[in-house]
Amino acid sequence: MTAAIRVRSVEKSFTDVSVLRGVDLDVARGSIFALLGANGAGKTTLVRILSTLVEMDAGSATVSGFDVATQAQSVRESISLTGQFAAVDEVLTGRENISLVARLRHLPDPAAIADDLLARFSLMDAGARRAATYSGGMRRRLDIAMSLVGDPAVIFLDEPTTGLDPQSRIEVWQTVRTLAGAGTTVLLTTQYLDEAEHLADRIAILHDGRIIVEGTLAELKQVLPPAQVEYVEKQPTLEEVFLALTARERS
């Protein structure tokens, strides 16, 4: 399949700290690609480079066929970026949040766009409510809906489920699958292996600024060594028993 995102030998440093050290990856059009890594691995920096917010020090990258360094405006017109925290206005209703983005992008009929996106993300019943009353999962779905105003070909989701409860995470997962099913290319960053496993067509693990392994879930399972579990029988101390009982009483 044609690559919607192509990254070659990208490097980035801040002062004397090297964050990205020659990153290469390809994201197929209409797929979900998960960039997995711990805090500080360089995930957000790479997303900010691909969304033209930060300039790379070396290498090259294209998004939707446009060069990130020399065709930044064309890249911006074809993408959307959802950061780690929901960027919704809590004073406005869900419908007003989406309509505002549509007006800022000078699109015709913002009200119709808002209604369409509210329906697609199962938020129609809450559309007239202030966003401050939304649950975490609803706020995140609204945030992603706002990102889809203008039908971007590529959407970047930077740790979209950080801080959400299990039910809200599942809601966001369903939203991401819906995006890909409609033909949108999704690159998401995450710290959670189960999230990458549930969502991604391909997974890359970023560690210390480098891609250390990349492929489908099945391919990664063949590359990674099998886990070993060692069981050691041990009698709990009185302190451990006390802490366990205290925790149970609090729950």
Side-chain angles (χ1 to χ4, degrees), residues 6-13 17-26 35 41-42 45-46 49-50 56-61 204-214:
R6 179 164 292 173
V7 178
R8 293 291 180 271
S9 304
V10 167
E11 300 180 7
K12 181 64 182 178
S13 297
V17 179
S18 182
V19 179
L20 299 176
R21 310 182 185 194
V23 173
D24 295 276
L25 60 85
D26 290 293
L35 192 60
T45 298
L46 181 59
I49 287 173
L50 294 175
M56 67 189 89
D57 296 334
S60 63
I205 299 178
L206 185 64
H207 176 70
D208 197 24
R210 295 185 177 89
I211 300 292
I212 58 173
V213 64
E214 188 259 326

PDB file of all heavy atoms in Angstrom, residues 6-13 17-26 35 41-42 45-46 49-50 56-61 204-214:
ATOM      1  N   ARG A   6       6.061   8.828   5.597  1.00  0.00           N
ATOM      2  CA  ARG A   6       7.367   8.220   5.351  1.00  0.00           C
ATOM      3  C   ARG A   6       8.431   9.028   6.082  1.00  0.00           C
ATOM      4  O   ARG A   6       8.533  10.242   5.918  1.00  0.00           O
ATOM      5  CB  ARG A   6       7.671   8.176   3.856  1.00  0.00           C
ATOM      6  CG  ARG A   6       9.028   7.578   3.512  1.00  0.00           C
ATOM      7  CD  ARG A   6       9.096   7.200   2.050  1.00  0.00           C
ATOM      8  NE  ARG A   6       8.197   6.074   1.771  1.00  0.00           N
ATOM      9  CZ  ARG A   6       7.951   5.618   0.539  1.00  0.00           C
ATOM     10  NH1 ARG A   6       8.483   6.213  -0.505  1.00  0.00           N
ATOM     11  NH2 ARG A   6       7.157   4.578   0.378  1.00  0.00           N
ATOM     12  N   VAL A   7       9.203   8.348   6.903  1.00  0.00           N
ATOM     13  CA  VAL A   7      10.244   8.986   7.722  1.00  0.00           C
ATOM     14  C   VAL A   7      11.572   8.318   7.434  1.00  0.00           C
ATOM     15  O   VAL A   7      11.669   7.087   7.459  1.00  0.00           O
ATOM     16  CB  VAL A   7       9.900   8.870   9.228  1.00  0.00           C
ATOM     17  CG1 VAL A   7      10.994   9.493  10.079  1.00  0.00           C
ATOM     18  CG2 VAL A   7       8.552   9.521   9.526  1.00  0.00           C
ATOM     19  N   ARG A   8      12.588   9.122   7.178  1.00  0.00           N
ATOM     20  CA  ARG A   8      13.903   8.585   6.861  1.00  0.00           C
ATOM     21  C   ARG A   8      14.998   9.322   7.641  1.00  0.00           C
ATOM     22  O   ARG A   8      15.174  10.535   7.478  1.00  0.00           O
ATOM     23  CB  ARG A   8      14.201   8.702   5.355  1.00  0.00           C
ATOM     24  CG  ARG A   8      13.319   7.837   4.462  1.00  0.00           C
ATOM     25  CD  ARG A   8      13.638   6.349   4.662  1.00  0.00           C
ATOM     26  NE  ARG A   8      12.794   5.503   3.818  1.00  0.00           N
ATOM     27  CZ  ARG A   8      11.612   5.026   4.157  1.00  0.00           C
ATOM     28  NH1 ARG A   8      11.111   5.337   5.351  1.00  0.00           N
ATOM     29  NH2 ARG A   8      10.937   4.252   3.346  1.00  0.00           N
ATOM     30  N   SER A   9      15.684   8.583   8.491  1.00  0.00           N
ATOM     31  CA  SER A   9      16.889   9.061   9.195  1.00  0.00           C
ATOM     32  C   SER A   9      16.662  10.382   9.945  1.00  0.00           C
ATOM     33  O   SER A   9      17.533  11.257   9.953  1.00  0.00           O
ATOM     34  CB  SER A   9      18.054   9.220   8.210  1.00  0.00           C
ATOM     35  OG  SER A   9      18.300   8.024   7.523  1.00  0.00           O
ATOM     36  N   VAL A  10      15.512  10.512  10.572  1.00  0.00           N
ATOM     37  CA  VAL A  10      15.182  11.761  11.267  1.00  0.00           C
ATOM     38  C   VAL A  10      15.936  11.840  12.588  1.00  0.00           C
ATOM     39  O   VAL A  10      15.934  10.898  13.383  1.00  0.00           O
ATOM     40  CB  VAL A  10      13.666  11.877  11.497  1.00  0.00           C
ATOM     41  CG1 VAL A  10      13.356  12.997  12.491  1.00  0.00           C
ATOM     42  CG2 VAL A  10      12.951  12.141  10.178  1.00  0.00           C
ATOM     43  N   GLU A  11      16.568  12.986  12.808  1.00  0.00           N
ATOM     44  CA  GLU A  11      17.305  13.251  14.041  1.00  0.00           C
ATOM     45  C   GLU A  11      16.836  14.566  14.650  1.00  0.00           C
ATOM     46  O   GLU A  11      16.465  15.498  13.938  1.00  0.00           O
ATOM     47  CB  GLU A  11      18.813  13.314  13.772  1.00  0.00           C
ATOM     48  CG  GLU A  11      19.400  12.039  13.204  1.00  0.00           C
ATOM     49  CD  GLU A  11      20.889  12.152  12.948  1.00  0.00           C
ATOM     50  OE1 GLU A  11      21.477  13.197  13.338  1.00  0.00           O
ATOM     51  OE2 GLU A  11      21.472  11.219  12.372  1.00  0.00           O
ATOM     52  N   LYS A  12      16.831  14.618  15.977  1.00  0.00           N
ATOM     53  CA  LYS A  12      16.469  15.847  16.669  1.00  0.00           C
ATOM     54  C   LYS A  12      17.134  15.889  18.034  1.00  0.00           C
ATOM     55  O   LYS A  12      17.103  14.905  18.787  1.00  0.00           O
ATOM     56  CB  LYS A  12      14.950  15.949  16.836  1.00  0.00           C
ATOM     57  CG  LYS A  12      14.488  17.220  17.538  1.00  0.00           C
ATOM     58  CD  LYS A  12      14.831  18.465  16.723  1.00  0.00           C
ATOM     59  CE  LYS A  12      14.427  19.749  17.436  1.00  0.00           C
ATOM     60  NZ  LYS A  12      14.809  20.956  16.661  1.00  0.00           N
ATOM     61  N   SER A  13      17.733  17.033  18.352  1.00  0.00           N
ATOM     62  CA  SER A  13      18.342  17.242  19.661  1.00  0.00           C
ATOM     63  C   SER A  13      17.845  18.560  20.238  1.00  0.00           C
ATOM     64  O   SER A  13      17.522  19.490  19.500  1.00  0.00           O
ATOM     65  CB  SER A  13      19.869  17.278  19.557  1.00  0.00           C
ATOM     66  OG  SER A  13      20.380  16.043  19.103  1.00  0.00           O
ATOM     67  N   VAL A  17      20.919  17.319  24.397  1.00  0.00           N
ATOM     68  CA  VAL A  17      20.197  16.056  24.583  1.00  0.00           C
ATOM     69  C   VAL A  17      19.695  15.559  23.238  1.00  0.00           C
ATOM     70  O   VAL A  17      18.897  16.234  22.566  1.00  0.00           O
ATOM     71  CB  VAL A  17      19.008  16.230  25.555  1.00  0.00           C
ATOM     72  CG1 VAL A  17      18.254  14.916  25.702  1.00  0.00           C
ATOM     73  CG2 VAL A  17      19.507  16.725  26.910  1.00  0.00           C
ATOM     74  N   SER A  18      20.145  14.388  22.838  1.00  0.00           N
ATOM     75  CA  SER A  18      19.716  13.782  21.585  1.00  0.00           C
ATOM     76  C   SER A  18      18.421  13.022  21.825  1.00  0.00           C
ATOM     77  O   SER A  18      18.388  12.063  22.586  1.00  0.00           O
ATOM     78  CB  SER A  18      20.803  12.836  21.055  1.00  0.00           C
ATOM     79  OG  SER A  18      20.416  12.277  19.821  1.00  0.00           O
ATOM     80  N   VAL A  19      17.327  13.435  21.170  1.00  0.00           N
ATOM     81  CA  VAL A  19      16.006  12.849  21.393  1.00  0.00           C
ATOM     82  C   VAL A  19      15.675  11.809  20.332  1.00  0.00           C
ATOM     83  O   VAL A  19      15.172  10.732  20.647  1.00  0.00           O
ATOM     84  CB  VAL A  19      14.926  13.947  21.423  1.00  0.00           C
ATOM     85  CG1 VAL A  19      13.541  13.335  21.641  1.00  0.00           C
ATOM     86  CG2 VAL A  19      15.242  14.967  22.505  1.00  0.00           C
ATOM     87  N   LEU A  20      15.933  12.120  19.078  1.00  0.00           N
ATOM     88  CA  LEU A  20      15.721  11.181  17.973  1.00  0.00           C
ATOM     89  C   LEU A  20      17.058  10.936  17.282  1.00  0.00           C
ATOM     90  O   LEU A  20      17.775  11.887  16.958  1.00  0.00           O
ATOM     91  CB  LEU A  20      14.693  11.729  16.978  1.00  0.00           C
ATOM     92  CG  LEU A  20      13.286  11.979  17.521  1.00  0.00           C
ATOM     93  CD1 LEU A  20      12.410  12.616  16.459  1.00  0.00           C
ATOM     94  CD2 LEU A  20      12.652  10.681  18.031  1.00  0.00           C
ATOM     95  N   ARG A  21      17.358   9.656  17.029  1.00  0.00           N
ATOM     96  CA  ARG A  21      18.685   9.296  16.534  1.00  0.00           C
ATOM     97  C   ARG A  21      18.602   8.446  15.269  1.00  0.00           C
ATOM     98  O   ARG A  21      19.025   7.295  15.261  1.00  0.00           O
ATOM     99  CB  ARG A  21      19.459   8.540  17.620  1.00  0.00           C
ATOM    100  CG  ARG A  21      19.441   9.234  18.970  1.00  0.00           C
ATOM    101  CD  ARG A  21      20.255   8.484  19.992  1.00  0.00           C
ATOM    102  NE  ARG A  21      20.150   9.074  21.313  1.00  0.00           N
ATOM    103  CZ  ARG A  21      20.971   8.776  22.331  1.00  0.00           C
ATOM    104  NH1 ARG A  21      21.927   7.877  22.187  1.00  0.00           N
ATOM    105  NH2 ARG A  21      20.804   9.357  23.497  1.00  0.00           N
ATOM    106  N   GLY A  22      18.023   9.003  14.242  1.00  0.00           N
ATOM    107  CA  GLY A  22      17.943   8.286  12.978  1.00  0.00           C
ATOM    108  C   GLY A  22      16.734   7.384  12.892  1.00  0.00           C
ATOM    109  O   GLY A  22      16.862   6.165  12.755  1.00  0.00           O
ATOM    110  N   VAL A  23      15.542   7.970  12.946  1.00  0.00           N
ATOM    111  CA  VAL A  23      14.294   7.207  12.933  1.00  0.00           C
ATOM    112  C   VAL A  23      13.824   6.972  11.500  1.00  0.00           C
ATOM    113  O   VAL A  23      13.805   7.898  10.684  1.00  0.00           O
ATOM    114  CB  VAL A  23      13.190   7.945  13.723  1.00  0.00           C
ATOM    115  CG1 VAL A  23      11.850   7.248  13.569  1.00  0.00           C
ATOM    116  CG2 VAL A  23      13.579   8.039  15.191  1.00  0.00           C
ATOM    117  N   ASP A  24      13.449   5.730  11.198  1.00  0.00           N
ATOM    118  CA  ASP A  24      12.887   5.353   9.902  1.00  0.00           C
ATOM    119  C   ASP A  24      11.578   4.615  10.138  1.00  0.00           C
ATOM    120  O   ASP A  24      11.534   3.692  10.956  1.00  0.00           O
ATOM    121  CB  ASP A  24      13.834   4.426   9.131  1.00  0.00           C
ATOM    122  CG  ASP A  24      15.137   5.104   8.763  1.00  0.00           C
ATOM    123  OD1 ASP A  24      15.171   5.785   7.733  1.00  0.00           O
ATOM    124  OD2 ASP A  24      16.128   4.928   9.509  1.00  0.00           O
ATOM    125  N   LEU A  25      10.530   5.003   9.410  1.00  0.00           N
ATOM    126  CA  LEU A  25       9.283   4.241   9.460  1.00  0.00           C
ATOM    127  C   LEU A  25       8.387   4.630   8.282  1.00  0.00           C
ATOM    128  O   LEU A  25       8.533   5.698   7.691  1.00  0.00           O
ATOM    129  CB  LEU A  25       8.542   4.431  10.786  1.00  0.00           C
ATOM    130  CG  LEU A  25       8.089   5.813  11.228  1.00  0.00           C
ATOM    131  CD1 LEU A  25       6.721   6.167  10.605  1.00  0.00           C
ATOM    132  CD2 LEU A  25       7.953   5.873  12.747  1.00  0.00           C
ATOM    133  N   ASP A  26       7.475   3.720   7.951  1.00  0.00           N
ATOM    134  CA  ASP A  26       6.465   3.938   6.920  1.00  0.00           C
ATOM    135  C   ASP A  26       5.104   3.586   7.495  1.00  0.00           C
ATOM    136  O   ASP A  26       4.957   2.556   8.161  1.00  0.00           O
ATOM    137  CB  ASP A  26       6.727   3.071   5.680  1.00  0.00           C
ATOM    138  CG  ASP A  26       7.955   3.526   4.912  1.00  0.00           C
ATOM    139  OD1 ASP A  26       7.915   4.626   4.353  1.00  0.00           O
ATOM    140  OD2 ASP A  26       8.960   2.772   4.889  1.00  0.00           O
ATOM    141  N   LEU A  35       2.989   3.827  17.738  1.00  0.00           N
ATOM    142  CA  LEU A  35       4.365   4.090  18.143  1.00  0.00           C
ATOM    143  C   LEU A  35       4.426   3.904  19.648  1.00  0.00           C
ATOM    144  O   LEU A  35       3.887   4.709  20.415  1.00  0.00           O
ATOM    145  CB  LEU A  35       4.756   5.508  17.739  1.00  0.00           C
ATOM    146  CG  LEU A  35       6.236   5.881  17.825  1.00  0.00           C
ATOM    147  CD1 LEU A  35       7.080   4.974  16.936  1.00  0.00           C
ATOM    148  CD2 LEU A  35       6.426   7.340  17.426  1.00  0.00           C
ATOM    149  N   ALA A  41      10.941   8.634  25.360  1.00  0.00           N
ATOM    150  CA  ALA A  41      11.490   7.853  24.252  1.00  0.00           C
ATOM    151  C   ALA A  41      11.610   8.670  22.972  1.00  0.00           C
ATOM    152  O   ALA A  41      12.371   8.319  22.075  1.00  0.00           O
ATOM    153  CB  ALA A  41      10.614   6.621  24.002  1.00  0.00           C
ATOM    154  N   GLY A  42      10.838   9.757  22.860  1.00  0.00           N
ATOM    155  CA  GLY A  42      10.888  10.596  21.666  1.00  0.00           C
ATOM    156  C   GLY A  42       9.615  10.556  20.841  1.00  0.00           C
ATOM    157  O   GLY A  42       9.562  11.133  19.746  1.00  0.00           O
ATOM    158  N   THR A  45       8.007  14.082  20.275  1.00  0.00           N
ATOM    159  CA  THR A  45       8.888  14.880  19.416  1.00  0.00           C
ATOM    160  C   THR A  45       8.718  14.488  17.958  1.00  0.00           C
ATOM    161  O   THR A  45       8.631  15.356  17.076  1.00  0.00           O
ATOM    162  CB  THR A  45      10.356  14.697  19.844  1.00  0.00           C
ATOM    163  OG1 THR A  45      10.523  15.169  21.180  1.00  0.00           O
ATOM    164  CG2 THR A  45      11.296  15.467  18.921  1.00  0.00           C
ATOM    165  N   LEU A  46       8.633  13.205  17.673  1.00  0.00           N
ATOM    166  CA  LEU A  46       8.446  12.761  16.291  1.00  0.00           C
ATOM    167  C   LEU A  46       7.098  13.239  15.748  1.00  0.00           C
ATOM    168  O   LEU A  46       7.007  13.712  14.611  1.00  0.00           O
ATOM    169  CB  LEU A  46       8.541  11.241  16.205  1.00  0.00           C
ATOM    170  CG  LEU A  46       8.380  10.648  14.801  1.00  0.00           C
ATOM    171  CD1 LEU A  46       9.442  11.198  13.853  1.00  0.00           C
ATOM    172  CD2 LEU A  46       8.438   9.128  14.842  1.00  0.00           C
ATOM    173  N   ILE A  49       7.287  16.860  14.902  1.00  0.00           N
ATOM    174  CA  ILE A  49       8.015  17.078  13.649  1.00  0.00           C
ATOM    175  C   ILE A  49       7.109  16.803  12.458  1.00  0.00           C
ATOM    176  O   ILE A  49       7.033  17.589  11.503  1.00  0.00           O
ATOM    177  CB  ILE A  49       9.272  16.185  13.595  1.00  0.00           C
ATOM    178  CG1 ILE A  49      10.341  16.714  14.563  1.00  0.00           C
ATOM    179  CG2 ILE A  49       9.838  16.137  12.170  1.00  0.00           C
ATOM    180  CD1 ILE A  49      11.548  15.802  14.700  1.00  0.00           C
ATOM    181  N   LEU A  50       6.391  15.678  12.501  1.00  0.00           N
ATOM    182  CA  LEU A  50       5.527  15.305  11.381  1.00  0.00           C
ATOM    183  C   LEU A  50       4.349  16.267  11.213  1.00  0.00           C
ATOM    184  O   LEU A  50       3.815  16.395  10.105  1.00  0.00           O
ATOM    185  CB  LEU A  50       5.017  13.876  11.588  1.00  0.00           C
ATOM    186  CG  LEU A  50       6.072  12.779  11.528  1.00  0.00           C
ATOM    187  CD1 LEU A  50       5.464  11.418  11.865  1.00  0.00           C
ATOM    188  CD2 LEU A  50       6.730  12.741  10.152  1.00  0.00           C
ATOM    189  N   MET A  56      13.110  19.272  12.247  1.00  0.00           N
ATOM    190  CA  MET A  56      14.103  18.218  12.472  1.00  0.00           C
ATOM    191  C   MET A  56      15.498  18.760  12.221  1.00  0.00           C
ATOM    192  O   MET A  56      15.679  19.745  11.487  1.00  0.00           O
ATOM    193  CB  MET A  56      13.821  17.023  11.559  1.00  0.00           C
ATOM    194  CG  MET A  56      14.021  17.294  10.088  1.00  0.00           C
ATOM    195  SD  MET A  56      13.433  15.949   9.033  1.00  0.00           S
ATOM    196  CE  MET A  56      11.724  16.447   8.807  1.00  0.00           C
ATOM    197  N   ASP A  57      16.498  18.142  12.833  1.00  0.00           N
ATOM    198  CA  ASP A  57      17.891  18.538  12.613  1.00  0.00           C
ATOM    199  C   ASP A  57      18.475  17.874  11.382  1.00  0.00           C
ATOM    200  O   ASP A  57      19.332  18.448  10.703  1.00  0.00           O
ATOM    201  CB  ASP A  57      18.745  18.167  13.839  1.00  0.00           C
ATOM    202  CG  ASP A  57      18.341  18.914  15.091  1.00  0.00           C
ATOM    203  OD1 ASP A  57      17.778  20.024  14.957  1.00  0.00           O
ATOM    204  OD2 ASP A  57      18.563  18.394  16.196  1.00  0.00           O
ATOM    205  N   ALA A  58      18.020  16.668  11.089  1.00  0.00           N
ATOM    206  CA  ALA A  58      18.538  15.921   9.936  1.00  0.00           C
ATOM    207  C   ALA A  58      17.498  14.903   9.510  1.00  0.00           C
ATOM    208  O   ALA A  58      16.605  14.548  10.276  1.00  0.00           O
ATOM    209  CB  ALA A  58      19.853  15.222  10.285  1.00  0.00           C
ATOM    210  N   GLY A  59      17.621  14.434   8.255  1.00  0.00           N
ATOM    211  CA  GLY A  59      16.705  13.437   7.745  1.00  0.00           C
ATOM    212  C   GLY A  59      15.615  14.054   6.890  1.00  0.00           C
ATOM    213  O   GLY A  59      15.664  15.248   6.537  1.00  0.00           O
ATOM    214  N   SER A  60      14.601  13.268   6.558  1.00  0.00           N
ATOM    215  CA  SER A  60      13.495  13.747   5.727  1.00  0.00           C
ATOM    216  C   SER A  60      12.212  13.037   6.142  1.00  0.00           C
ATOM    217  O   SER A  60      12.243  11.947   6.709  1.00  0.00           O
ATOM    218  CB  SER A  60      13.774  13.481   4.243  1.00  0.00           C
ATOM    219  OG  SER A  60      13.866  12.086   3.994  1.00  0.00           O
ATOM    220  N   ALA A  61      11.077  13.672   5.835  1.00  0.00           N
ATOM    221  CA  ALA A  61       9.780  13.083   6.163  1.00  0.00           C
ATOM    222  C   ALA A  61       8.729  13.653   5.226  1.00  0.00           C
ATOM    223  O   ALA A  61       8.761  14.838   4.884  1.00  0.00           O
ATOM    224  CB  ALA A  61       9.401  13.356   7.616  1.00  0.00           C
ATOM    225  N   ALA A 204       5.579  -0.041  16.117  1.00  0.00           N
ATOM    226  CA  ALA A 204       7.014   0.233  16.213  1.00  0.00           C
ATOM    227  C   ALA A 204       7.325   0.586  17.660  1.00  0.00           C
ATOM    228  O   ALA A 204       6.570   1.315  18.303  1.00  0.00           O
ATOM    229  CB  ALA A 204       7.427   1.371  15.293  1.00  0.00           C
ATOM    230  N   ILE A 205       8.413   0.056  18.167  1.00  0.00           N
ATOM    231  CA  ILE A 205       8.844   0.360  19.532  1.00  0.00           C
ATOM    232  C   ILE A 205      10.003   1.351  19.458  1.00  0.00           C
ATOM    233  O   ILE A 205      11.045   1.068  18.862  1.00  0.00           O
ATOM    234  CB  ILE A 205       9.268  -0.913  20.287  1.00  0.00           C
ATOM    235  CG1 ILE A 205       8.078  -1.877  20.388  1.00  0.00           C
ATOM    236  CG2 ILE A 205       9.781  -0.561  21.680  1.00  0.00           C
ATOM    237  CD1 ILE A 205       8.405  -3.184  21.071  1.00  0.00           C
ATOM    238  N   LEU A 206       9.784   2.525  20.045  1.00  0.00           N
ATOM    239  CA  LEU A 206      10.793   3.580  20.054  1.00  0.00           C
ATOM    240  C   LEU A 206      11.472   3.593  21.416  1.00  0.00           C
ATOM    241  O   LEU A 206      10.810   3.705  22.445  1.00  0.00           O
ATOM    242  CB  LEU A 206      10.124   4.933  19.780  1.00  0.00           C
ATOM    243  CG  LEU A 206      11.028   6.157  19.627  1.00  0.00           C
ATOM    244  CD1 LEU A 206      11.932   6.002  18.410  1.00  0.00           C
ATOM    245  CD2 LEU A 206      10.179   7.420  19.505  1.00  0.00           C
ATOM    246  N   HIS A 207      12.778   3.445  21.407  1.00  0.00           N
ATOM    247  CA  HIS A 207      13.537   3.404  22.657  1.00  0.00           C
ATOM    248  C   HIS A 207      14.805   4.209  22.497  1.00  0.00           C
ATOM    249  O   HIS A 207      15.584   3.992  21.558  1.00  0.00           O
ATOM    250  CB  HIS A 207      13.889   1.962  23.030  1.00  0.00           C
ATOM    251  CG  HIS A 207      14.744   1.846  24.257  1.00  0.00           C
ATOM    252  ND1 HIS A 207      14.272   2.116  25.528  1.00  0.00           N
ATOM    253  CD2 HIS A 207      16.059   1.514  24.402  1.00  0.00           C
ATOM    254  CE1 HIS A 207      15.241   1.939  26.405  1.00  0.00           C
ATOM    255  NE2 HIS A 207      16.338   1.579  25.746  1.00  0.00           N
ATOM    256  N   ASP A 208      14.987   5.165  23.400  1.00  0.00           N
ATOM    257  CA  ASP A 208      16.204   5.984  23.398  1.00  0.00           C
ATOM    258  C   ASP A 208      16.426   6.642  22.042  1.00  0.00           C
ATOM    259  O   ASP A 208      17.559   6.733  21.563  1.00  0.00           O
ATOM    260  CB  ASP A 208      17.412   5.123  23.784  1.00  0.00           C
ATOM    261  CG  ASP A 208      18.610   5.955  24.209  1.00  0.00           C
ATOM    262  OD1 ASP A 208      18.398   7.106  24.640  1.00  0.00           O
ATOM    263  OD2 ASP A 208      19.757   5.470  24.088  1.00  0.00           O
ATOM    264  N   GLY A 209      15.317   7.083  21.431  1.00  0.00           N
ATOM    265  CA  GLY A 209      15.432   7.825  20.185  1.00  0.00           C
ATOM    266  C   GLY A 209      15.578   6.990  18.938  1.00  0.00           C
ATOM    267  O   GLY A 209      15.777   7.532  17.841  1.00  0.00           O
ATOM    268  N   ARG A 210      15.456   5.672  19.058  1.00  0.00           N
ATOM    269  CA  ARG A 210      15.613   4.793  17.893  1.00  0.00           C
ATOM    270  C   ARG A 210      14.462   3.793  17.821  1.00  0.00           C
ATOM    271  O   ARG A 210      13.954   3.361  18.862  1.00  0.00           O
ATOM    272  CB  ARG A 210      16.926   4.012  17.951  1.00  0.00           C
ATOM    273  CG  ARG A 210      18.185   4.861  17.873  1.00  0.00           C
ATOM    274  CD  ARG A 210      19.424   3.964  17.818  1.00  0.00           C
ATOM    275  NE  ARG A 210      20.653   4.727  17.667  1.00  0.00           N
ATOM    276  CZ  ARG A 210      21.380   5.198  18.671  1.00  0.00           C
ATOM    277  NH1 ARG A 210      20.982   4.941  19.925  1.00  0.00           N
ATOM    278  NH2 ARG A 210      22.484   5.873  18.455  1.00  0.00           N
ATOM    279  N   ILE A 211      14.085   3.408  16.612  1.00  0.00           N
ATOM    280  CA  ILE A 211      13.137   2.321  16.425  1.00  0.00           C
ATOM    281  C   ILE A 211      13.909   1.014  16.584  1.00  0.00           C
ATOM    282  O   ILE A 211      14.791   0.695  15.783  1.00  0.00           O
ATOM    283  CB  ILE A 211      12.474   2.367  15.023  1.00  0.00           C
ATOM    284  CG1 ILE A 211      11.724   3.684  14.817  1.00  0.00           C
ATOM    285  CG2 ILE A 211      11.543   1.178  14.833  1.00  0.00           C
ATOM    286  CD1 ILE A 211      10.505   3.855  15.666  1.00  0.00           C
ATOM    287  N   ILE A 212      13.582   0.253  17.629  1.00  0.00           N
ATOM    288  CA  ILE A 212      14.342  -0.970  17.872  1.00  0.00           C
ATOM    289  C   ILE A 212      13.684  -2.193  17.239  1.00  0.00           C
ATOM    290  O   ILE A 212      14.350  -3.208  17.007  1.00  0.00           O
ATOM    291  CB  ILE A 212      14.560  -1.200  19.386  1.00  0.00           C
ATOM    292  CG1 ILE A 212      13.218  -1.277  20.132  1.00  0.00           C
ATOM    293  CG2 ILE A 212      15.439  -0.103  19.964  1.00  0.00           C
ATOM    294  CD1 ILE A 212      13.363  -1.664  21.588  1.00  0.00           C
ATOM    295  N   VAL A 213      12.388  -2.113  16.970  1.00  0.00           N
ATOM    296  CA  VAL A 213      11.703  -3.209  16.282  1.00  0.00           C
ATOM    297  C   VAL A 213      10.407  -2.652  15.698  1.00  0.00           C
ATOM    298  O   VAL A 213       9.801  -1.741  16.255  1.00  0.00           O
ATOM    299  CB  VAL A 213      11.413  -4.391  17.244  1.00  0.00           C
ATOM    300  CG1 VAL A 213      10.443  -3.974  18.334  1.00  0.00           C
ATOM    301  CG2 VAL A 213      10.894  -5.602  16.494  1.00  0.00           C
ATOM    302  N   GLU A 214       9.988  -3.199  14.547  1.00  0.00           N
ATOM    303  CA  GLU A 214       8.779  -2.711  13.893  1.00  0.00           C
ATOM    304  C   GLU A 214       8.163  -3.822  13.064  1.00  0.00           C
ATOM    305  O   GLU A 214       8.873  -4.617  12.438  1.00  0.00           O
ATOM    306  CB  GLU A 214       9.112  -1.519  12.995  1.00  0.00           C
ATOM    307  CG  GLU A 214       7.895  -0.815  12.420  1.00  0.00           C
ATOM    308  CD  GLU A 214       7.623  -1.208  10.976  1.00  0.00           C
ATOM    309  OE1 GLU A 214       8.591  -1.457  10.245  1.00  0.00           O
ATOM    310  OE2 GLU A 214       6.434  -1.264  10.602  1.00  0.00           O
TER     311      GLU A 214
END
